[in-house]
Each structure stands twice: as C-alpha cells, then as structure tokens.
Amino acid sequence: MEKEIFLIYVISAVLVIVSYQYKTDLPPTATEPRRLKDASMNTSIKDEQILKDEIACLESQLAATRAKVATLYPPSSHSSVQQPSLPSILPCPPAPAYHHHLLLLSDSALPIGSFAFSSGLESYLAHHPPPSPRHPPIPAIQPFLSLALQTLATSSLPYLLAAYKDPGRLLGLDEEYDATVLCNVARRASVSQGRALMMVWERSLRGTAVDDEEDPHGELGGKECNEMLREMSVQLKKAPPSSTTTAATATTTTTTTTTTTTSASSTTLPVSGMQVVGHFPLLWAVVTRALGIPIHDSTNLFLLNHAKAVLSAAVRASVMGPYQAQAVLGSGWLREEVRRLTSENWNVQVEDAGQVVPVMDLWVGRHELLYSRIFNS
C-alpha cells in the first residue's frame, strides 16, 4: 500500500516536471504571434492618434485661411451669386487700346507698298555678288541690314520724333525733309509709301483715332493730328493728276529725274509757298500719335518694319530662305540694333540729321540703272 502511494507521488512529480520542461522548451514561433499582435495593436493605436492630430492641425489651418480670404475678398452684399473665394480666379486685364492699332501697323498686309522696294538691296547684291553658291547668306545680309537701319535712323528718325512731338510742324518738316533727301530713288519710295499711308488713314483708320472722350484734355494730341492730316490730305489732292504716276516712273537721266520728280510729286501752297510732298516718316509719326501709340513703340515699329521689308526683299531675291529671315527678325542682334539706334538718335535735332552712310545713296540710286530688276525704282 505504501509502495503504491509512493509510486503515485513519484509519477505525479515526474508529470509536473515534464510538463514544466515542455512549456519552457517550446520554439519562439509558438508564442511570437501573440506578442506581434499585441505590438501591432499598440502601433495602430499610436498611428491613429498621430493621424487624428494631423487632421486637426490641417482643419485649423484651412479655417484660418478661409477667414483670411473672406477678409481680403468680402462677398458682395447685393449679389445673390456666391463670389469665388480663390484669389486666382480673376478676370483677364484689358489690353491698352493702342495695342490693336500697333498690331495693324506691324502687319505685312498693310497696303503701303513697302515690300515693292528693296531699299537698295537688289543693287547691293548686283554690285556685291556672293563668291560662291555655298556662301552663307545671313552674314552677307546682316551688314547691309545694319547699314540700312543706320541710314534710316540718322536721316529719318529725328524728323519722325520732331513731327510726333509737335504735329503742328508737319508741313514745315515735310518740306525740310524733302530737301535733305538727295537720292531720287529713295525720295520716290518715301513719297509713294507716305501717300499710301495717307490713303490708309483716310479710308480705314480715321474712324478709330483717339477722340475727345479718350483724350478730354488734349494730352495725346489726337485732335491736332486729325487737323494736320486733314490739311495735308487737302493739299496733296490739289497736286496735278499725273503727280503720282510721274513720281513712280523711273527716268533715264539724273537731270530729267530730278526735274520731273520735283515738279510732279510736290504741291506749292499759295499762301506760304511751302511744298507739300507727303514723306513717309513724317506721316507715320502723326498717324501713330493720332492712333494713341506711344512714341517709343512708334519709333521701334518704324525701324522694325524697315528691317522686315529688307529681309522680305532678300527672300524674294533668293539669297536667303523664309526661315532664315525669321531667324534674323527674331534674333537678339536685331532687337539690340533697333534699341541702340533709337537710343543714339533720340535727342538728335532735325538740324543735325543726315546721311552717315553715303554708299547707301549710291546703291539705292544705281538701282534704276540695273539691266534687270524685280523691285520698283
């Protein structure tokens, strides 16, 4: 009996020891899921709290921003439509009124006949043929274009600025400028373009000029410009019927050309004895001021249009392609050249204006002596 009890105690002790050893010898994977589950629960609780804090912070910032926008852009009290709260939703600001006229005058389709003349380029190419067909055209054209712009800036820009600043001097400046143009071909081109611009003004642009409502104090000079252009138009119409035709016809001798052009393309006023010719730079100045175009834009566009006419002549003369011409027009060199010439001649008086490139008069004047030509003389 005692042996049986002892044996029971021994077996129970062995079972207890074995069960304890079994629990301690289990692999870690058996208890790891429980520990990972507890850790993930703790992490999710912390992450959820962090997200809640961030949401609360963002909502407070949004509320502060809305309050600031409502202070800067209060809604209209008499409007039933809710106003946009975002400052980026704003109407497009209107462009100045003269921008429209500036674009019209810069259009190559403006019917003033500037592209009918080469400004001496055709004669220049005839006297300076390229050394070989593979000679790059742009370096050959750029020196001529620079000389052409320099000639226009030194001889015409002072008169343009003077006429723009004082439109009442239009008739007198026109006569003085006519006396300074010594080349007959250049004179005919200037008169032809000037009278064409006058026709564009009378038939198309006069009704869109600056009126009394836009210029109540007369600061833009629109009324004075209209009166001077009307007077110029009246005097030009008093010229002989054959004046325009004769002025555009080339003659064979210098003496005949000078006599014909002087007597045919000018009108003598009966009172003052002043000759009204209608040169392009003077009329350009008064027309642009009548349209409200600022003086800086007027002078820059005047030089740029001349560059466009020369490069167009180069394209039609097959010395450069249209893309190369556009590359020159869009280059920084041309932009800087126009700016430099305008700045250098800004304060030059008409008494100091003149031709600084005499060879340009030779190239332009000998154009009508070419054996064959594609541009007007």
Side-chain angles (χ1 to χ4, degrees):
M1 187 67 180
E2 293 178 355
K3 290 183 179 179
E4 294 176 356
I5 295 172
F6 178 76
L7 183 59
I8 291 172
Y9 281 125
V10 170
I11 293 173
S12 300
V14 170
L15 290 174
V16 170
I17 293 173
V18 170
S19 62
Y20 177 77
Q21 185 175 3
Y22 175 78
K23 290 181 179 181
T24 56
D25 292 338
L26 283 175
T29 55
T31 58
E32 188 67 22
R34 179 176 295 176
R35 291 197 300 270
L36 290 176
K37 184 176 181 180
D38 295 340
S40 63
M41 290 178 64
N42 295 333
T43 303
S44 63
I45 293 174
K46 292 180 180 180
D47 293 342
E48 184 177 358
Q49 185 64 33
I50 292 174
L51 290 176
K52 288 181 178 180
D53 295 340
E54 290 181 357
I55 291 173
C57 181
L58 292 175
E59 288 180 349
S60 63
Q61 292 180 2
L62 180 60
T65 305
R66 285 178 175 173
K68 187 180 296 184
V69 171
T71 304
L72 295 176
Y73 303 94
S76 178
S77 58
H78 60 275
S79 177
S80 60
V81 181
Q82 186 178 3
Q83 298 294 329
S85 60
L86 297 179
S88 59
I89 306 178
L90 296 175
C92 178
Y98 72 86
H99 276 189
H100 183 71
H101 297 113
L102 194 68
L103 295 175
L104 289 177
L105 294 179
S106 64
D107 189 6
S108 59
L110 188 69
I112 60 175
S114 59
F115 292 97
F117 304 93
S118 66
S119 302
L121 177 64
E122 190 174 17
S123 177
Y124 169 79
L125 295 174
H127 291 84
H128 299 82
S132 64
R134 297 182 180 180
H135 190 271
I138 293 182
I141 296 301
Q142 280 191 355
F144 177 84
L145 180 58
S146 179
L147 294 177
L149 291 175
Q150 188 175 358
T151 297
L152 190 68
T154 56
S155 62
S156 302
L157 204 58
Y159 285 92
L160 188 153
L161 293 171
Y164 188 98
K165 296 175 183 177
D166 189 2
R169 299 176 57 193
L170 174 61
L171 302 180
L173 290 173
D174 184 69
E175 183 185 22
E176 293 179 15
Y177 182 79
D178 184 68
T180 62
V181 181
L182 303 179
C183 179
N184 293 310
V185 177
R187 183 179 185 275
R188 288 196 295 268
S190 177
V191 172
S192 175
Q193 295 177 65
R195 297 193 175 192
L197 181 61
M198 176 63 72
M199 189 173 297
V200 172
W201 163 259
E202 292 180 342
R203 298 186 178 183
S204 305
L205 300 179
R206 176 183 291 176
T208 62
V210 177
D211 52 14
D212 294 337
E213 295 181 359
E214 298 176 350
D215 187 23
H217 303 290
E219 298 177 355
L220 299 178
K223 186 176 181 180
E224 184 181 6
C225 292
N226 284 328
E227 293 177 356
M228 294 308 302
L229 290 172
R230 186 180 297 108
E231 184 177 355
M232 172 70 81
S233 175
V234 170
Q235 298 302 330
L236 288 177
K237 291 177 181 178
K238 291 181 180 180
S242 60
S243 60
T244 307
T245 311
T246 310
T249 305
T251 56
T252 55
T253 62
T254 307
T255 306
T256 307
T257 303
T258 306
T259 306
T260 305
T261 308
T262 304
S263 61
S265 63
S266 62
T267 303
T268 302
L269 296 182
V271 178
S272 62
M274 190 177 297
Q275 290 184 348
V276 177
V277 182
H279 280 284
F280 180 60
L282 287 308
L283 292 174
W284 174 272
V286 181
V287 167
T288 52
R289 180 167 180 177
L291 295 175
I293 298 176
I295 186 171
H296 292 84
D297 294 331
S298 176
T299 53
N300 289 338
L301 184 58
F302 180 74
L303 294 176
L304 181 62
N305 280 352
H306 187 71
K308 289 165 59 178
V310 173
L311 292 174
S312 175
V315 172
R316 285 175 289 167
S318 301
V319 295
M320 65 189 312
Y323 294 110
Q324 293 171 325
Q326 289 298 318
V328 176
L329 282 175
S331 64
W333 168 82
L334 181 59
R335 183 172 61 252
E336 179 62 24
E337 192 75 3
V338 171
R339 186 205 63 79
R340 180 183 64 83
L341 292 174
T342 304
S343 177
E344 290 178 355
N345 297 275
W346 189 258
N347 296 317
V348 176
Q349 302 299 320
V350 294
E351 293 81 4
D352 300 325
Q355 175 63 273
V356 296
V357 188
V359 71
M360 283 296 301
D361 281 346
L362 296 177
W363 289 331
V364 175
R366 289 186 58 83
H367 179 263
E368 61 184 1
L369 302 179
L370 296 178
Y371 179 76
S372 62
R373 54 184 182 267
I374 60 176
F375 295 95
N376 290 345
S377 292

